[in-house]
């Protein structure tokens, strides 16, 4: 089958590649662009481990064709922070034990990032509802919710201080 | 889970999409949010040679409210339905139902058009469209036509849409009065074990008009005029609600699956219908 010329902006960087239309975005990110932060958990659109941001939406990248993503702006966990300069959410997950094995974490944090963009001061219920597309087998969610609420307060406090 | 290979098309207007569909015949399918279609393609339950992606067709996007006539483009996503304040004012039942579909990621991608065109009895919007008495706008190579939502569903995955037609929009009259969409599911991200959409108008303490429909309790969505009749003219008290629930249950035909045996589904359906009527009445 003919390959398609695909252009993406990933974490602010322009990328071009040839891919079959049927290739899934998660495979393009992991195998062609070596961005292995987003994970493949269920492959059936349920677990959210593959969550990335596409054009300002949280999406399960196992359920998006490379062809559909042509022209899109994508943010992955690699685009949020780096080991020397962690994003507030990453730091908060570490401090509040929001992860154990860490498999769900990139998806959790990428999703939480979008959630806080849309709702900067969520209640606990809103966090739980907004994170409902991400499954975790380890933590029991309690500390994930705590990490996100703490990150939200920290971001809001920093913003108030700046104003 | 890699789907079989296909050719990808991304037309920018409805006419080109419809003529692609006609030219490519039954080997082609349109792609909206992909959140029903891609899972099927991954399981290789759908063999498709050509995918026609509708994402660049602006005419399929947008919500317009003209008096009490609401028109929603097929490519409007569930997340957009939820966020639209104007829509929440005239027809809040759409937000209430959309919030009960899947999870946030799925709602960013899944569209109203895909949800109603899919034909899966588990989809929530078709039941709601029965209650609203919505019309579906279809465009094919020979022009446009309208089909009533109540005439659209023939059997699971079988609808009145011709293979070369595109569903362009959904249109309905904003329903006056109370409303409720109640859904029982095993967990977030699950399809309904039973769900019900109820609209009730109140005048002088009595039910002036009602509409009752159900999701995933037959191989098509079910609209129950008998349930509405049992409510109309009453005070919507326990007796009337019991009679309406019985009438609605007489119209369903659930089958046993991983959500439970038939007796259980009927039991859950009865509770969900009763709750939906009570809540719609409390808001009327
Ligand atoms: C984990 C998960 C949970 C879910 N839970 C629910 C749930 O609880 N309730 C629910 O209702 N849905 C649920 N869904 C399905 C979801 O809402 C889908 O997005 C929706 O059913 C289809 O919309 P789509 O835009 O993704 O369509 P697609 O998957 O792109 O298309 C679906 C079908 O409709 C056809 N089609 C699409 N648009 C048009 C058009 N404009 N004209 C003609 N044909 C068209 C396609 O060819 C295809 O056959 C769930 C999905 C997932 C992955
Ligand atoms: S891997 Fe995509 S949702 Fe689980
Ligand atoms: S930390 Fe192990 S799956 Fe979430």
């Amino acid at each position: 089958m003919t390959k398609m010329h695909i252009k993406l902006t990933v974490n602010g960087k322009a990328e071009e590649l040839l891919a079959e239309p049927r290739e899934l975005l998660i495979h393009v990110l992991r195998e062609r662009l070596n961005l292995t932060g987003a994970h493949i958990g269920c492959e059936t659109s349920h677990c959210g481990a593959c969550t990335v941001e596409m054009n300002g939406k949280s999406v399960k990248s196992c359920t998006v064709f490379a062809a559909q993503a042509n022209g899109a702006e994508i943010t992955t966990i690699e685009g949020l922070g780096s080991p020397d300069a962690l994003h507030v959410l990453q730091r908060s997950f570490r401090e509040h034990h929001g992860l154990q094995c860490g498999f769900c974490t990139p998806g959790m944090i990428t999703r939480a990032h979008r959630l806080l963009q849309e709702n900067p001061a969520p209640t606990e219920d809103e966090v739980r509802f907004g994170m409902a597309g991400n499954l975790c087998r380890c933590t029991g969610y309690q500390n994930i919710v705590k990490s996100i609420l703490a990150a939200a307060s920290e971001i809001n406090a920093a913003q108030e201080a700046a104003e | 889970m890699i789907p079989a290979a296909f050719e990808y098309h991304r037309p920018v207007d409805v006419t080109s999409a419809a003529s692609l569909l006609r030219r490519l015949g039954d080997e082609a399918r349109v792609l909206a949010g992909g959140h029903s279609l891609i899972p099927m393609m991954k399981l290789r339950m759908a063999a498709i040679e050509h995918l026609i992606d509708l994402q660049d067709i602006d005419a399929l996007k947008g919500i317009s409210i003209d008096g009490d006539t609401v028109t929603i483009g097929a490519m409007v996503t569930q997340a957009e339905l939820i966020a639209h304040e104007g829509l929440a004012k005239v027809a809040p039942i759409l937000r209430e139902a959309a919030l009960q579909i899947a999870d946030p990621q799925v709602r960013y991608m899944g569209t109203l058009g895909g949800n109603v065109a899919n034909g899966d009895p588990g989809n929530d919007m078709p039941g709601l469209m029965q209650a609203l008495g919505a019309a579906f706008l279809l465009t094919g190579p020979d022009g446009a036509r309208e089909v009533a939502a109540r005439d659209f569903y023939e059997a699971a995955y079988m609808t009145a849409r011709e293979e070369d037609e595109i569903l362009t929009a959904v249109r309905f009259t904003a329903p006056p009065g109370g409303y409720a969409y109640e859904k029982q599911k095993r967990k977030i991200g699950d399809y309904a074990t039973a769900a019900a959409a109820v609209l009730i108008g109140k005048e002088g303490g009595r039910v002036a008009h009602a509409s009752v429909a159900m999701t995933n309790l037959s191989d098509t969505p079910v609209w129950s005029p008998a349930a509405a009749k049992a409510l109309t003219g009453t005070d919507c008290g326990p007796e009337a609600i019991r009679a309406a629930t019985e009438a609605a249950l007489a119209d369903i035909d659930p089958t046993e699956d991983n959500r439970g045996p038939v007796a259980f589904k009927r039991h859950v359906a009865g509770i969900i219908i009763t709750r939906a009527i009570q809540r719609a009445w409390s808001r009327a």
Side-chain angles (χ1 to χ4, degrees):
Chain A
M1 211 35 70
T2 41
K3 293 207 169 182
M4 261 182 82
H5 193 179
I6 289 178
K7 286 190 188 181
L8 301 167
T9 306
V10 184
N11 301 329
K13 190 167 155 237
E15 303 278 5
E16 289 195 41
L17 49 102
L18 285 175
E20 279 188 61
R22 64 168 166 168
E23 277 180 55
L24 297 165
L25 179 58
I26 184 73
H27 295 300
V28 168
L29 294 171
R30 290 178 57 85
E31 289 153 27
R32 291 168 179 272
L33 303 176
N34 288 322
L35 294 168
T36 54
H39 290 156
I40 302 173
C42 65
E43 276 203 273
T44 57
S45 326
H46 284 95
C47 73
C50 62
T51 300
V52 302
E53 197 166 305
M54 180 169 88
N55 296 333
K57 303 166 168 188
S58 301
V59 300
K60 293 174 177 171
S61 59
C62 73
T63 315
V64 175
F65 286 126
Q68 281 175 289
N70 191 12
E73 285 204 26
I74 313 268
T75 305
T76 67
I77 186 73
E78 288 90 344
L80 291 184
S82 66
D84 326 317
L86 292 182
H87 185 273
V88 184
L89 273 162
Q90 292 171 316
R91 204 154 26 75
S92 191
F93 268 65
R94 190 175 66 184
E95 275 162 26
H96 296 91
H97 302 280
L99 67 152
Q100 289 179 22
C101 79
F103 195 84
C104 68
T105 316
M108 286 285 175
I109 291 183
T110 317
R111 170 60 197 145
H113 176 253
R114 169 77 349 222
L115 175 65
L116 295 187
Q117 307 272 303
E118 291 175 9
N119 183 359
T123 61
E124 175 176 341
D125 279 352
E126 286 167 349
V127 170
R128 289 184 185 275
F129 193 72
M131 296 300 296
N134 294 74
L135 303 183
C136 175
R137 308 173 45 141
C138 306
T139 63
Y141 301 100
Q142 211 65 14
N143 287 344
I144 291 178
V145 175
K146 212 193 272 175
S147 307
I148 296 169
L149 288 170
S153 314
E154 193 179 329
I155 296 168
N156 294 334
Q159 234 153 31
E160 269 170 39
E163 272 160 18
Chain B
M1 298 220 296
I2 311 287
F6 56 83
E7 293 276 356
Y8 177 82
H9 310 262
R10 206 195 272 190
V12 295
D13 56 58
V14 176
T15 320
S16 347
S19 49
L20 268 171
L21 262 185
R22 164 153 295 183
R23 181 161 62 78
L24 300 169
D26 56 10
E27 304 191 327
R29 288 276 276 279
V30 303
L31 175 70
H35 274 55
S36 287
L37 191 54
I38 297 175
M40 299 254 270
M41 291 174 72
K42 284 199 204 169
L43 295 169
R44 305 221 174 188
M45 279 160 64
I48 294 157
E49 304 271 317
H50 296 272
L51 264 193
I52 303 169
D53 188 345
L54 304 178
Q55 69 168 297
D56 280 352
I57 306 181
D58 287 338
L60 300 180
K61 298 172 190 170
I63 297 175
S64 84
I65 300 168
D66 182 6
D68 60 1
T69 303
V70 180
T71 309
I72 305 177
M75 288 298 283
V76 170
T77 64
Q78 290 146 15
E80 287 162 352
L81 286 179
I82 292 166
H84 199 279
E85 292 303 334
L87 185 64
K89 241 186 228 131
V90 300
I93 194 169
L94 269 100
R95 178 184 278 178
E96 179 156 296
L99 280 168
Q100 296 179 67
I101 293 178
D103 60 44
Q105 284 93 322
V106 175
R107 293 193 293 264
Y108 280 115
M109 291 299 286
T111 65
L112 178 61
N115 201 292
V116 300
N118 196 28
D120 181 340
N123 281 134
D124 287 289
M125 288 297 175
L128 174 52
M129 295 303 143
Q130 307 301 302
L132 288 167
F136 297 160
L137 280 57
L138 302 167
T139 296
D142 305 323
R145 67 180 178 123
E146 251 184 65
V147 179
R150 290 171 188 164
D151 298 330
F152 190 72
Y153 299 96
E154 294 164 351
Y157 298 102
M158 304 274 289
T159 68
R161 185 180 69 83
E162 297 295 334
E163 276 183 356
D164 55 7
E165 281 181 315
I166 290 168
L167 192 146
T168 56
V170 167
R171 179 170 292 154
F172 58 88
T173 305
Y179 65 92
Y181 192 81
E182 283 278 343
K183 176 174 173 180
Q184 164 66 39
K185 53 188 172 179
R186 296 171 301 178
K187 60 172 187 65
I188 286 248
D190 191 22
Y191 291 90
T193 303
V198 174
L199 300 166
I200 298 182
K202 185 182 195 172
E203 259 165 48
R206 308 237 145 216
V207 175
H209 54 85
S211 186
V212 177
M214 291 157 283
T215 295
N216 221 10
L217 291 165
S218 275
D219 67 343
T220 59
V222 176
W223 179 55
S224 177
K229 195 160 161 246
L231 292 173
T232 308
T234 72
D235 60 354
C236 216
E239 260 322 301
I241 294 181
R242 196 167 317 128
T245 303
E246 299 243 314
L249 289 177
D251 284 340
I252 62 173
D253 184 17
T255 49
E256 175 164 351
D257 60 18
N258 55 5
R259 290 185 183 81
V262 170
F264 174 71
K265 290 191 171 183
R266 288 193 159 273
H267 174 71
V268 174
I271 292 171
I272 290 297
I273 295 159
T274 298
R275 281 190 195 160
I277 295 171
Q278 286 167 338
R279 204 144 54 88
W281 178 245
S282 74
R283 289 164 163 173

